[in-house]
């Protein structure tokens, strides 16, 4: 907080007339379809590298981690929502999360080596870690509404929570499929039923929407894992027998097609900018995570990094709105 009386109010007033280009997508049906596709691909790709190609969990995790760091850096540096970059990061969290979970639960090795803490303990540890992240998030004063994140700190917390959520989703899915005896098909139907219940709760109850979002976000990971197993497992095990390579290729093509579709939709209907971020605990303006503009109306960011509204003169951007 500022030590100068009234200074915080002056700062808020100064920034209240400015807006930040949205970096994260809206939570519509397409978001969930893309998310399930991305995490399913993360599961099959993890099996392809770790088991089929015999790189092991550690080697595969290092490869996926390098990929994740690159795409996350691109996402953090971007000034607006780019579907290819955003979903590349979600895919990265799924792939890295799969390897972290497998290493934690099973231990190092090429297959299901029983040298880890086990699925139940792994899920419990990750649940505790995710709870700690949410407590830290709340203490920072950043918004929990993932559709309204406009600060750099808020976006970083968002990605940390997503990485842990996808890792937890892998561990909980493995526990449900293996430890309960349901198998991947039974686990798929159980999780799908829970997802439908969450959907009903969203529309029919007053349960906090962000609580429902994060529960659903975690559950889409084991849902995708069960779906991935249905593709790649042999027919005598209840799968389609596509194998890790062809299953991963089919999911990759589907993901690319969906991302192209979303990119076209965003170009036709640009996402509305968000109000300049203000810390809900201190009332202080926060560092924005996207380009800062001076109009609340729909826009596009040109190649020169300037914002322009359809049919209007080029907007004036503030000095921190660097080009992509």
């Amino acid at each position: 907080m500022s030590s100068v009386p009234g200074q915080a109010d002056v700062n808020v007033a100064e920034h209240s007339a400015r807006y930040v280009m949205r970096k994260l997508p809206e939570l519509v049906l397409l978001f969930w379809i893309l998310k399930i596709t991305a995490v399913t691909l993360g599961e099959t790709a993890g099996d392809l590298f770790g088991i089929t190609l015999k790189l092991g969990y550690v080697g595969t995790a290092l490869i996926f981690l390098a990929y994740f760091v690159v795409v996350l850096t691109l996402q953090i540096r971007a000034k607006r929502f780019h579907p290819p970059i955003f979903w590349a990061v979600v895919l990265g969290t799924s792939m890295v999360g799969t390897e972290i979970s497998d290493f934690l639960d099973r231990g190092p090795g090429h297959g299901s080596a029983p040298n880890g803490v086990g699925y139940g303990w792994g899920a419990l540890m990750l649940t505790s870690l995710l709870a700690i992240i949410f407590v830290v998030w709340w203490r920072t004063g950043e918004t929990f509404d993932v559709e309204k994140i406009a600060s750099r700190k808020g976006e970083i917390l968002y990605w940390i929570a997503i990485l842990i959520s996808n890792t937890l989703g892998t561990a909980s899915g493995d526990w449900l499929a293996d430890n309960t005896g349901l198998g991947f098909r039974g686990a798929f139907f159980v999780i799908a039923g829970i997802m439908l219940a969450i959907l009903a709760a969203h529309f029919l109850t007053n349960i906090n929407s962000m609580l429902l979002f994060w529960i659903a976000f975690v559950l889409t990971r084991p849902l995708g894992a069960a779906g991935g197993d249905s593709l790649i497992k042999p027919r005598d095990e209840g799968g389609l027998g596509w194998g890790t390579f062809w299953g991963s290729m089919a999911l990759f093509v589907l993901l690319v097609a969906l991302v192209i579709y979303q990119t076209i939709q965003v170009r036709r209907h640009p996402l509305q900018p968000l109000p300049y971020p203000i810390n809900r605990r201190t009332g202080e303006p926060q560092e924005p995570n996207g380009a800062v503009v001076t109009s609340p109306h729909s826009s596009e960011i040109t190649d020169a990094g300037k914002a322009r509204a359809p049919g209007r003169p080029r907007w004036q951007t503030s000095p921190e709105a660097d080009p992509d």
Side-chain angles (χ1 to χ4, degrees):
M1 292 283 283
S2 173
S3 60
V4 179
Q7 186 64 41
D9 293 338
V10 173
N11 290 338
V12 171
E14 176 187 351
H15 292 291
S16 62
R18 296 194 294 173
Y19 299 83
V20 179
M21 296 302 297
R22 190 185 295 267
K23 290 279 297 293
L24 307 175
E26 297 173 328
L27 303 182
V28 295
L29 178 61
L30 181 59
F31 171 90
W32 293 106
I33 295 174
L34 273 159
K35 204 278 182 175
I36 293 172
T37 304
V39 297
T40 305
L41 175 57
E43 171 72 16
T44 59
D47 288 344
L48 173 63
F49 281 81
I51 299 176
T52 304
L53 299 180
K54 300 185 182 303
L55 295 180
Y57 299 132
V58 176
T60 303
L62 291 175
I63 293 172
F64 288 170
L65 181 61
Y67 161 83
F68 174 63
V69 170
V70 171
V71 294
L72 179 61
T73 300
L74 293 175
Q75 168 67 25
I76 296 298
R77 289 175 59 85
K79 296 302 179 182
R80 62 177 174 89
F81 175 54
H82 296 280
I85 299 176
F86 177 87
W87 291 109
V89 181
V90 173
L91 174 61
T93 63
S94 178
M95 295 191 299
V96 172
T98 296
E99 301 311 307
I100 293 175
S101 176
D102 287 346
F103 182 76
L104 178 66
D105 298 340
R106 304 173 184 175
H110 301 311
S112 301
N115 300 318
V117 299
Y119 298 136
W121 281 108
L124 180 61
M125 292 167 62
L126 291 164
T127 300
S128 300
L129 181 58
L130 185 60
I132 292 172
I133 292 300
F134 284 138
V135 170
V136 172
W137 192 336
W138 177 79
R139 293 284 297 173
T140 63
E142 302 294 330
T143 178
F144 272 123
D145 191 337
V146 297
E147 288 190 304
K148 296 181 179 179
I149 293 175
S151 70
R152 178 63 55 86
K153 184 185 294 184
E155 185 180 358
I156 291 173
L157 288 166
Y158 172 85
W159 286 117
I160 293 173
I162 283 185
L163 176 60
I164 298 173
S165 296
N166 280 333
T167 307
L168 171 59
T170 301
S172 59
D174 288 340
W175 174 82
L176 188 63
D178 291 356
N179 289 26
T180 65
L182 285 173
F184 64 84
R185 180 173 296 180
F188 176 86
F189 287 115
V190 168
I191 297 168
I194 297 174
M195 293 286 289
L196 289 175
I198 292 173
L199 181 64
H202 173 69
F203 288 106
L204 301 177
T205 72
N206 293 323
I207 298 176
N208 184 275
S209 61
M210 285 301 100
L211 175 62
L212 294 175
F213 166 80
W214 285 109
I215 295 174
F217 199 94
V218 170
L219 289 177
T220 53
R221 183 64 188 82
L223 183 72
D229 286 339
S230 298
L231 292 177
I232 66 178
K233 294 293 184 182
R235 293 181 181 275
D236 58 1
E237 296 182 19
L240 295 178
W242 289 11
T244 56
F245 176 78
W246 290 111
S248 297
M249 286 300 298
L251 289 165
F252 177 75
V253 170
L254 176 60
L255 181 63
V256 170
L258 290 170
V259 169
I260 291 174
Y261 173 76
Q262 186 177 51
T263 301
I264 294 172
Q265 291 297 104
V266 170
R267 289 184 179 275
R268 290 177 177 174
H269 308 286
L271 301 180
Q272 295 292 322
L274 295 168
Y276 200 94
I278 302 297
N279 188 289
R280 62 177 172 79
R281 290 172 63 89
T282 66
E284 288 289 319
Q286 302 296 291
E287 179 187 1
N289 66 337
V292 179
V293 295
T294 56
S295 170
H297 301 290
S298 181
S299 69
E300 60 177 321
I301 298 292
T302 67
D303 293 337
K306 302 294 185 179
R308 179 187 299 177
R312 297 184 178 207
R314 187 185 298 271
W315 290 355
Q316 178 183 0
T317 58
S318 42
E320 59 264 49
D322 298 325
D324 286 293

